[in-house]
Amino acid sequence: MKVIILGAGQVGTSVAESLASEKNDITVVDFDGPRLAYLQERFDLRTVVGNAATPSTLRRAGAEDADMIIAVTQSDQSNLVACKLAHGVFNVPTRIARLRSEDFLQDESLLSTDHFAVDFALCPEQVITDYIRRLVEFPEALQVLSFARGRVSLVAVRAYEGGALVGKPIRALRDLLPIETDARIAAIFRRDQPVAPEGDTVVEVGDEVFLLAAAENIRLVLHQLRRMVHPVQRIMIAGGGNIGIRLARSLEDRYEIKLLESSHDRAELLANELDNTLVLLGDATDEQLLKQENISEMDLFLAVTNVDEDNIMACSLAKRLGCKRVVALINRRAYAEMIEGGPIDIGISPAQISISTLLAYVRHGDVAEVHSLRRGAAEALEVVAHGDRKTSKVVGRRVDQIDWPKGVTVAALVRNFDKPIVVGQTDDWTSITRYGEVVIAHHNTVIEADDHVIVFCTRKKLVQKVEALFQVGIHFF
């Protein structure tokens, strides 16, 4: 597939890295010549120096025969103009744009082919906000992901000493759960190395364990591996930029929020925009300010400024002063890998989180969802199975009859994806309805046509092999 990526920032670089490793024909466009030279040296791709929103630059990048344009520059206007040109002038089949302004996202008609011709809009700030909000809801988790329109949850936790499953084989998990509840350990990483999640694999203290279950059962399953943490009530956010304000808006109705912002003008704007958030003017690395605002009583500290070093310092200080849990937004991958596991509980890589939704749209075949795990080292896919036993390598076969590459685990599938199913009731007896039946995969589970299959790959290079397995033979129409 011939792909043109407009913008060589964090998101553009991450997308280029992911797609170049899958043997796509990649061209990256940016004003920054030295940055492009670095990418060209590091990855197998072409580069073009120039303005991504001009026909001449797009033509030099090969837009006339491109399959896809991914516009992820820092400018919404440039991204929109590039998509419009790609559609109207070069007839590029697929056009993706990064958009930060809510104005364009709230009116879908603006993105139609009659206007800016954007097939898929990516808002990294909103993706990161949703990701952090799930961490707030599961304070014991390292990562929380959802599949099949929220029907299935995948949660990464650190196994602790004294946990019910620690020191026992994985197969013991079924005995620890109620009869009607099923779950699967999709993967285990021990000292940063994957461990095959076989039935006789013993869970050890400190293991990073990926648990998968139906969304309504995930908390019950988590209790078997992780000491349940006191629910979050008080949160302090450092940084009132696009992510900071989105987080405050998302959380302020349910939690007690304090937001630190160092710019006087920005702090005033935030105070006017937010209803139930206490906005404070000050520096998150100011020890006296943190003490004054009772940082030791906070359940969670979120550092989401634009400066990695400030986020690291603020989180380290907050933890030293008694905050229960600290999370830092870290753009540089080397920093994220270095700081996590020390005083900082979780280091979040915005680019890796952002591109997960984009990759699901870009992938070949029927990949409905993609999530990058462990800062891009592993991936979890939701793939739709098509065909029949004659035309598919997976449909009509038991899980243990399929030639899965080493390092791939089938964790679950969702059947009858569009069928409403009642899974519970609210306090006022209103039915809770979700779509599809969650089937936790075991060796004798048979994959049927149209199943949404959730597959865990311990190495990103395995993704192509999984996609190939799900491709339908030439005789299927």
Side-chain angles (χ1 to χ4, degrees), residues 387-398:
D388 54 30
R389 189 173 178 84
K390 293 182 180 179
T391 59
S392 169
K393 297 177 182 178
V394 298
V395 173
R397 292 170 173 78
R398 299 189 336 183

Side-chain angles (χ1 to χ4, degrees), residues 21-22 187 189 192-195 363 373-374 376-381 405-409 455-466:
S21 66
E22 297 169 15
F189 285 85
D192 288 330
Q193 296 300 315
V195 176
R363 298 283 195 204
L373 311 170
R374 311 194 84 252
E379 287 196 358
L381 311 177
K406 185 178 180 181
V408 171
T409 301
V455 183
F456 194 104
C457 301
T458 56
R459 298 185 307 281
K460 191 165 64 174
K461 292 182 179 179
L462 296 169
V463 170
Q464 280 186 297
K465 295 181 179 180
V466 171

Side-chain angles (χ1 to χ4, degrees), residues 74-331:
Q74 294 291 332
S75 167
D76 285 3
Q77 291 79 2
S78 293
N79 295 336
L80 290 169
V81 169
C83 285
K84 182 66 174 176
L85 290 171
H87 174 256
V89 178
F90 300 103
N91 198 30
V92 178
T94 304
R95 304 157 306 275
I96 296 172
R98 170 185 179 170
L99 297 175
R100 307 176 78 177
S101 172
E102 295 184 40
D103 291 343
F104 296 112
L105 298 169
Q106 289 172 351
D107 187 351
E108 293 183 3
S109 66
L110 293 174
L111 306 182
S112 69
T113 52
D114 292 333
H115 293 96
F116 289 110
V118 176
D119 293 309
F120 178 76
L122 171 70
C123 180
E125 291 82 2
Q126 189 58 49
V127 172
I128 294 164
T129 298
D130 294 340
Y131 183 93
I132 295 176
R133 191 179 67 245
R134 288 193 293 268
L135 288 176
V136 173
E137 294 170 357
F138 290 86
E140 61 278 332
L142 299 172
Q143 195 167 13
V144 184
L145 305 169
S146 63
F147 296 89
R149 295 188 298 217
R151 196 67 184 85
V152 176
S153 292
L154 177 69
V155 179
V157 295
R158 189 80 63 190
Y160 75 99
E161 189 166 359
L165 195 58
V166 173
K168 299 177 182 176
I170 286 177
R171 67 167 62 92
L173 178 62
R174 178 173 289 185
D175 298 330
L176 296 170
L177 299 174
I179 295 176
E180 68 277 7
T181 302
D182 201 358
R184 179 71 188 265
I185 292 180
I188 295 176
F189 285 85
R190 183 172 297 155
R191 292 179 286 278
D192 288 330
Q193 296 300 315
V195 176
E198 307 290 346
D200 57 357
T201 302
V202 176
V203 178
E204 296 183 5
V205 173
D207 282 355
E208 187 176 340
V209 182
F210 286 83
L211 285 163
L212 185 141
E216 63 270 19
N217 296 330
I218 194 65
R219 289 190 184 276
L220 177 63
V221 176
L222 273 176
H223 187 60
Q224 305 309 321
L225 269 177
R226 182 71 191 173
R227 195 178 284 114
M228 300 307 287
V229 178
H230 181 73
V232 171
Q233 294 177 326
R234 294 174 293 275
I235 302 172
M236 184 177 289
I237 301 172
N242 287 329
I243 295 174
I245 190 171
R246 286 175 184 267
L247 273 172
R249 281 177 181 159
S250 175
L251 300 171
E252 64 179 359
D253 289 340
R254 294 181 56 191
Y255 305 93
E256 180 184 319
I257 307 293
K258 290 183 179 181
L259 176 57
L260 298 179
E261 170 56 45
S262 58
S263 166
H264 184 276
D265 291 344
R266 182 66 180 176
E268 281 192 349
L269 183 147
L270 293 169
N272 291 325
E273 293 266 338
L274 299 168
D275 297 324
N276 300 314
T277 296
L278 177 60
V279 178
L280 303 167
L281 178 63
D283 189 335
T285 60
D286 184 338
E287 182 172 349
Q288 289 305 117
L289 177 60
L290 293 183
K291 286 181 178 179
Q292 180 181 320
E293 296 302 327
N294 301 313
I295 187 64
S296 62
E297 297 178 6
M298 293 293 154
D299 300 307
L300 182 63
F301 181 85
L302 303 170
V304 293
T305 76
N306 293 323
V307 182
D308 287 357
E309 291 80 4
D310 287 352
N311 291 340
I312 293 171
M313 292 299 295
C315 278
S316 300
L317 179 59
K319 195 62 177 280
R320 181 170 65 81
L321 294 176
C323 184
K324 298 180 180 65
R325 191 168 177 81
V326 298
V327 176
L329 206 63
I330 309 294
N331 285 288

Side-chain angles (χ1 to χ4, degrees), residues 294-464:
N294 301 313
I295 187 64
S296 62
E297 297 178 6
M298 293 293 154
D299 300 307
L300 182 63
F301 181 85
L302 303 170
V304 293
T305 76
N306 293 323
V307 182
D308 287 357
E309 291 80 4
D310 287 352
N311 291 340
I312 293 171
M313 292 299 295
C315 278
S316 300
L317 179 59
K319 195 62 177 280
R320 181 170 65 81
L321 294 176
C323 184
K324 298 180 180 65
R325 191 168 177 81
V326 298
V327 176
L329 206 63
I330 309 294
N331 285 288
R332 295 181 63 178
R333 185 182 302 181
Y335 281 5
E337 294 173 352
M338 179 178 65
I339 57 93
E340 196 170 271
I344 298 175
D345 296 294
I346 300 177
I348 295 176
S349 171
Q352 286 298 327
I353 295 169
S354 300
I355 66 170
S356 292
T357 52
L358 188 150
L359 288 177
Y361 196 88
V362 170
R363 298 283 195 204
H364 298 292
D366 289 289
V367 178
E369 193 80 54
V370 178
H371 288 297
S372 291
L373 311 170
R374 311 194 84 252
R375 290 177 290 279
E379 287 196 358
L381 311 177
E382 176 189 336
V383 193
V384 184
H386 287 309
D388 54 30
R389 189 173 178 84
K390 293 182 180 179
T391 59
S392 169
K393 297 177 182 178
V394 298
V395 173
R397 292 170 173 78
R398 299 189 336 183
V399 168
D400 61 1
Q401 293 175 330
I402 300 169
D403 187 20
W404 303 106
K406 185 178 180 181
V408 171
T409 301
V410 179
L413 52 89
V414 179
R415 186 160 291 158
N416 301 318
F417 191 68
D418 294 318
K419 181 180 178 180
I421 297 175
V422 177
V423 297
Q425 291 179 323
T426 62
D427 293 338
D428 61 357
W429 299 99
T430 302
S431 296
I432 300 173
T433 303
R434 290 183 175 156
Y435 287 83
E437 173 193 359
V438 178
V439 179
I440 301 300
H442 298 288
H443 69 92
N444 59 349
T445 301
V446 177
I447 296 176
E448 298 179 2
D450 298 324
D451 282 350
H452 285 236
V453 186
I454 299 165
V455 183
F456 194 104
C457 301
T458 56
R459 298 185 307 281
K460 191 165 64 174
K461 292 182 179 179
L462 296 169
V463 170
Q464 280 186 297

